[in-house]
Amino acid sequence: MTTTAPRRPSAPRARIRDRGQVDALVLAALAERPLRQEEVSDVVRRQVGDVLDFPYSRVVPTLHRLARNRLVVRSSRDPRRYRLTEVGTRSLTARRRAADAFATSLHRLADGGEADGSQEAAPRAERRAPSRG
């Protein structure tokens, strides 16, 4: 009789539904150096695998789309290896800025004040718009 170790409960992972998010993750994986298709998936899974549901089946079509849009190029020696172009690097920088601004705004709204915590949040009753009555 064989016994198996009990399954460790896994943390809920966010499902990526937006094509732009997948593009950003693939571009970010290629930021350090050129990678083969399977290496892109490995880098993404290693860096954010516990948080995001990122299936390998989305990597190849994403790389092809990014190549059509001139954000990445294939290596002439190894057609499965991709690297960022200058346009891809600028796009990744813009996407990072947009993601940072979004995260800052979300934290500011959720915290009810400044994102850095320097300003105390006003009591909820004071933040409401005056009632019309």
Side-chain angles (χ1 to χ4, degrees):
M1 182 170 158
T2 61
T3 59
T4 59
R7 274 190 139 184
R8 191 177 78 187
S10 61
R13 298 185 320 177
R15 178 177 229 111
I16 301 172
R17 297 186 188 279
D18 182 70
R19 182 183 288 179
Q21 292 173 338
V22 174
D23 292 355
L25 289 172
V26 170
L27 291 172
L30 292 167
E32 293 292 320
R33 63 186 171 90
L35 298 171
R36 291 176 57 94
Q37 297 167 345
E38 60 275 2
E39 293 171 328
V40 170
S41 179
D42 292 343
V43 166
V44 172
R45 283 190 180 147
R46 191 170 46 248
Q47 296 294 325
V48 297
D50 292 341
V51 179
L52 298 175
D53 182 16
F54 186 78
Y56 176 74
S57 63
R58 302 206 41 199
V59 172
V60 175
T62 299
L63 285 167
H64 288 204
R65 185 177 58 258
L66 294 173
R68 281 193 310 272
N69 292 326
R70 297 186 176 112
L71 299 175
V72 300
V73 293
R74 290 179 174 196
S75 168
S76 57
R77 290 186 198 164
D78 183 359
R80 291 185 181 177
R81 185 174 302 276
Y82 291 81
R83 69 173 174 80
L84 283 179
T85 62
E86 186 177 326
V87 174
T89 302
R90 286 195 313 257
S91 176
L92 177 59
T93 300
R95 290 167 193 254
R96 283 179 174 163
R97 282 189 196 131
D100 288 344
F102 178 80
T104 299
S105 299
L106 178 62
H107 286 287
R108 186 174 291 149
L109 285 169
D111 295 341
E114 293 296 316
D116 61 4
S118 62
Q119 178 183 11
E120 278 190 43
R124 194 172 292 276
E126 292 177 20
R127 285 186 279 155
R128 288 188 189 140
S131 62
R132 295 181 183 174

